[in-house]
Amino acid sequence: MVTVVFPAAGAGRRMKAGMNKVFLELAGKPILVHTLLQFSRSSLVDNFVVVVAAEEVSFISKLLRGIPGLKPLKVVAGGTERQYSIWNGLKAAPEEAEILLVHDAARPLVSLATIEGVIEGAREVGGAIAAVPEKNTIKVVGEDGLVRSTPPRNTLWEVQTPQGFRRDILLRANEQAEEDGFLGTDDSSLVERLGVPVKVVESDYRNIKVTTPEDLIIAEALLREDYGGFLGLAKAAAKKTAAHILRQ
Ligand code: CTP
Ligand code: MG
């Protein structure tokens, strides 16, 4: 059995919408619903645990009951940090789930290939995470504002979710993190501390985390599948410009 835990208990502060950003509607549906429908398309996924703020549990349960086509799901209360929310969600996952995935509710554009690649990677290796090769040059900067070093870009990957693990590994990693008071910025960092290998599954650049207002513009366009259209238009315009220049 494969269970997916969706942390959705954040406040969405950087979005500045005055509400939890996962309820914002894009292309006619709340972001959270887009995300859950996408995972519902995979035959490798069995059920969900949706983690929301304690005061939102009853509202979300009702909202999701009205959406046809979702996998069976439980709604549970989260915590003050993403890691605590996920830990609550993991404790609510069915005991029969031998593979546990974690996916940010705020990433509605994940592809089916990425979801299934992470599940297969977790089965094979024990842990697998979605990621894309870094596009930018990244600097390590000291507190004095001076550059310390420039890690070679070809070694850098930008990590996304889903992140999937064998149940025993992920539960042990969370127990150990809790015992040590360790707070990581992703789930894999908790597992890495145990010395367990984690496989990187190449995802795509569409799988953005909707975080700041400008991400809404990008996500809306991508959800409407205008992307191919934009590329076609941009290419056609470039050809027209080139033809015009060559005629001069
Ligand atoms: N999340 C959560 N519990 C928290 C904090 C975050 O379940 N205590 C969830 C968010 O709802 C989101 C995901 O973790 O789906 C990724 O977190 P992030 O993008 O940081 O969302 P927020 O914490 O809501 O946004 P911000 O940091 O801007 O306040
Ligand atoms: Mg946050």
Side-chain angles (χ1 to χ4, degrees):
M1 180 186 282
V2 175
T3 298
V4 188
V5 173
F6 296 93
R13 285 198 187 84
R14 286 168 288 177
M15 185 57 72
K16 300 190 178 86
M19 62 188 288
N20 184 347
K21 65 186 179 183
V22 303
F23 302 134
L24 295 174
E25 294 202 11
L26 292 177
K29 287 187 207 83
I31 291 173
L32 171 67
V33 173
H34 280 289
T35 305
L36 298 180
L37 283 171
Q38 186 63 351
F39 277 80
S40 297
R41 291 177 58 209
S42 174
S43 60
L44 301 186
V45 171
D46 294 286
N47 47 52
F48 301 158
V49 177
V50 182
V51 189
V52 302
E55 61 277 13
E56 289 167 352
V57 170
S58 118
F59 169 76
I60 304 283
S61 305
K62 280 186 200 151
L63 169 85
L64 297 180
R65 238 179 274 145
I67 312 283
L70 294 179
K71 302 270 184 192
L73 61 90
K74 265 190 220 170
V75 180
V76 302
T80 50
E81 297 285 346
R82 180 183 179 277
Q83 186 175 313
Y84 305 151
S85 292
I86 291 165
W87 194 201
N88 283 354
L90 293 172
K91 288 174 188 160
E95 273 179 27
E96 306 88 290
E98 69 278 9
I99 298 291
L100 296 167
L101 255 61
V102 175
H103 184 76
D104 293 322
R107 291 186 191 268
L109 284 147
V110 61
S111 74
L112 204 55
T114 295
I115 295 169
E116 300 194 338
V118 167
I119 293 172
E120 279 155 20
R123 281 200 201 283
E124 259 168 53
V125 177
I129 59 176
V132 283
E134 179 53 52
K135 292 186 199 178
N136 299 292
T137 295
I138 303 285
K139 304 275 184 198
V140 178
V141 180
E143 276 180 23
D144 53 6
L146 297 177
V147 172
R148 291 276 178 278
S149 62
T150 308
R153 192 174 58 197
N154 59 6
T155 66
L156 297 175
W157 287 71
E158 190 185 316
V159 164
Q160 307 171 335
T161 66
Q163 301 196 346
F165 306 90
R166 280 207 305 264
R167 177 195 188 80
D168 54 316
I169 293 173
L170 189 56
L171 296 190
R172 193 149 47 88
N174 275 271
E175 275 157 18
Q176 193 65 50
E178 186 174 55
E179 202 178 305
D180 302 342
F182 175 81
L183 204 56
T185 51
D186 73 344
D187 308 281
S188 178
S189 56
L190 276 50
V191 169
E192 292 155 34
R193 297 175 76 239
L194 303 178
V196 173
V198 177
K199 180 184 173 174
V200 171
V201 173
E202 186 159 357
S203 171
D204 57 70
Y205 294 102
R206 290 169 50 97
N207 185 19
I208 61 165
K209 181 159 68 69
V210 180
T211 306
T212 55
E214 51 276 17
D215 294 331
L216 295 174
I217 301 169
I218 299 166
E220 173 84 19
L222 293 174
L223 284 165
R224 289 187 185 278
E225 294 183 359
D226 280 349
Y227 182 70
F230 279 137
L231 191 59
L233 286 175
K235 259 170 93 173
K239 280 185 188 156
K240 217 170 135 190
T241 303
H244 180 73
I245 289 170
L246 289 173
R247 269 201 306 275
Q248 283 174 349

